[in-house]
């Protein structure tokens, strides 16, 4: 997957050299960023371990645990009950 900031100008403005400069506080703007990351870092129909998710998110933002939590809470990623498997929602 690619991790560029192509997409909406509002999302692109939050990236510098392929890295997220700040996680937006406003929910709507944060949701746009999370949707962008889900679509560029992860493939549909693929199962990921927590380590896979962390490694991918770490490439764009230092606080990858916060990104992971926001992505699951916002429905951008689903997590199995035991936390062993993550995937894009269907």
């Amino acid at each position: 997957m690619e991790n560029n900031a192509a997409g909406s100008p509002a999302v692109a403005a939050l990236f510098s050299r392929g890295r997220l400069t700040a996680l937006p506080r406003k929910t709507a703007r944060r949701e746009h960023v999370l949707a962008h990351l889900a679509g560029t870092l992860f493939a549909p129909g693929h199962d990921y371990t927590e380590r896979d998710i962390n490694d991918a998110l770490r490439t764009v933002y230092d606080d990858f645990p916060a990104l992971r939590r926001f992505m699951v809470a916002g429905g951008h990623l689903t997590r199995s009950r035991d936390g062993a498997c993550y995937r894009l929602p269907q």
Side-chain angles (χ1 to χ4, degrees):
M1 279 1 82
E2 58 184 79
N3 65 1
N4 66 27
S8 78
V11 170
L14 296 170
F15 285 82
S16 175
R17 297 180 182 157
R19 294 197 42 91
L20 184 62
T21 57
L23 192 56
R25 290 180 188 233
K26 290 188 177 184
T27 304
R29 196 163 183 205
R30 184 173 57 235
E31 289 299 313
H32 287 294
V33 170
L34 297 174
H36 168 74
L37 293 175
T40 57
L41 296 175
F42 307 108
H46 189 279
D47 291 340
Y48 296 93
T49 64
E50 184 171 310
R51 182 179 190 140
D52 295 334
I53 297 295
N54 290 345
D55 289 347
L57 294 176
R58 185 181 288 123
T59 67
V60 295
Y61 195 61
D62 290 335
D63 191 0
F64 59 90
L67 278 182
R68 187 187 65 241
R69 284 190 302 270
F70 280 124
M71 291 184 85
V72 170
H76 301 283
L77 286 174
T78 60
R79 182 178 61 202
S80 63
R81 227 177 228 284
D82 64 1
C85 178
Y86 291 78
R87 63 180 11 222
L88 291 173
Q90 296 187 24

